[in-house]
Amino acid sequence: MDLFFILSKLFWVIANPGNFLILLLVLALLKGWKKLSSFCALCLLIITFYPVGNWLLQPLESRFSPPTEMPDNIAGVIVLGGAEEAELSSVWQQPQFNMAAERDMAILPLMQRYADAPIILTGGSGSVRKPEFRGADVLQSWLQGQQLGNRVIFERDSRNTFENAIYSQGVLPSGVEFNDPRGWLLVTSAFHMPRSVGIFRNQGWHVIPYPVDYYSLPASFDSWRADLGKNLHELSIGAREWLGLGAYYLTDKTDEFFPSVAQEVSLNE
């Protein structure tokens, strides 16, 4: 188990906005720091009534648009896991999916449109404590129930996006190249697409972004809603992704902090 993987998990336990604010508030109360405790309470109040996560998610989700015209010929499709609830599926003995289910839902229409193209679902376990529960196994079980399990190649060892890009090269069918100039449709959540594109490009993949699973609405000061759970969830998603962009850039897992379509063009010139 590599150090980057462990440190990233430990860091996020503290850096998660909800955890961080609660820890800071508890510390302020224990130390009697009234100004800090008031600041934490104000932050929680703002998050309760305003979707601040929109401000973080908007630039991420608008960085890459879905293809306006689908290409006639592609090298293949690669879908990043993360929509599967592996442990829950094991407990209840049926496939369970989370709010990112659009990632896996995209497989069926793409499978029909590109009948001869290889399709890879890459996703193992991102858990330090329970690595035996793997996302690819959940989708494989679900597709087998639809008699479609043989159409998809399952990569089940990767634990993060960097490993998605590396390990997927190892499951390619004979004669299929990851740097095929026709390009691979890369399917993942829209907020996760910039980091994914940067990582896959850095590993030599030629990818065509196919974002799904959107969360943000146009951000404005009057778009309030009283929903602490949802607002905090979206804030956590946005904060984690921006931190991930920075961490992957600083550790040379991508050579672009915030990849764009223009950078794709320059790379191919």
Side-chain angles (χ1 to χ4, degrees):
M1 190 174 292
D2 65 88
L3 187 61
F4 179 86
F5 177 73
I6 297 174
L7 289 178
S8 66
K9 296 298 180 182
L10 291 175
F11 175 76
W12 183 242
V13 170
I14 299 173
N16 184 307
N19 296 352
F20 181 75
L21 282 173
I22 293 299
L23 290 172
L24 207 59
L25 181 59
V26 170
L27 178 63
L29 292 173
L30 290 175
K31 293 291 186 178
W33 296 338
K34 294 183 179 180
K35 289 184 178 180
L36 182 57
S37 60
S38 297
F39 172 76
C40 294
L42 177 61
C43 288
L44 288 170
L45 185 64
I46 292 173
I47 295 170
T48 298
F49 290 98
Y50 188 77
V52 291
N54 265 340
W55 296 96
L56 296 179
L57 289 170
Q58 269 285 305
L60 293 168
E61 295 193 335
S62 60
R63 192 64 165 176
F64 293 95
S65 301
T68 53
E69 293 184 8
M70 296 296 291
D72 294 327
N73 193 13
I74 60 173
V77 178
I78 184 162
V79 181
L80 304 192
E84 309 83 16
E85 294 288 348
E87 184 178 5
L88 201 61
S89 300
S90 177
V91 169
W92 293 104
Q93 292 298 299
Q94 59 178 246
Q96 301 293 313
F97 301 89
N98 57 37
M99 291 177 63
E102 291 89 339
R103 297 189 191 188
D104 293 338
M105 289 168 58
I107 290 177
L108 296 181
L110 292 175
M111 189 183 294
Q112 293 176 342
R113 185 180 185 93
Y114 301 106
D116 299 322
I119 297 175
I120 298 174
L121 184 284
T122 170
S125 171
S127 172
V128 175
R129 295 175 53 247
K130 299 180 179 180
E132 66 273 19
F133 299 110
R134 307 190 184 200
D137 296 343
V138 176
L139 186 63
Q140 184 174 21
S141 174
W142 185 76
L143 287 174
Q144 285 175 344
Q146 318 301 315
Q147 308 298 315
L148 296 171
N150 294 332
R151 279 284 285 115
V152 178
I153 302 166
F154 298 95
E155 185 288 300
R156 57 188 302 274
D157 294 321
S158 55
R159 300 168 300 174
N160 53 37
T161 313
F162 178 66
E163 292 184 356
N164 288 153
I166 294 176
Y167 293 169
S168 292
Q169 295 179 12
V171 299
L172 291 173
S174 177
V176 177
E177 300 293 336
F178 62 89
N179 57 357
D180 190 312
R182 293 176 297 175
W184 287 77
L185 284 180
L186 180 63
V187 181
T188 190
S189 301
F191 70 84
H192 187 50
M193 187 59 76
R195 181 155 58 109
S196 301
V197 167
I199 292 167
F200 273 77
R201 283 178 184 167
N202 200 43
Q203 292 300 317
W205 289 83
H206 180 61
V207 293
I208 303 169
Y210 191 90
V212 296
D213 181 37
Y214 288 84
Y215 290 81
S216 66
L217 294 169
S220 63
F221 287 105
D222 63 350
S223 58
W224 66 276
R225 66 181 178 216
D227 192 337
L228 175 61
K230 185 172 184 178
N231 292 347
L232 193 56
H233 177 64
E234 292 178 356
L235 176 61
S236 297
I237 292 174
R240 183 174 185 173
E241 201 57 35
W242 281 107
L243 288 170
L245 282 165
Y248 275 63
Y249 180 69
L250 292 174
T251 54
D252 295 323
K253 291 178 172 57
T254 171
D255 57 5
E256 312 160 62
F257 172 69
F258 197 32
S260 69
V261 175
Q263 288 166 323
E264 176 75 78
V265 173
S266 65
L267 285 171
N268 293 329
E269 288 178 350

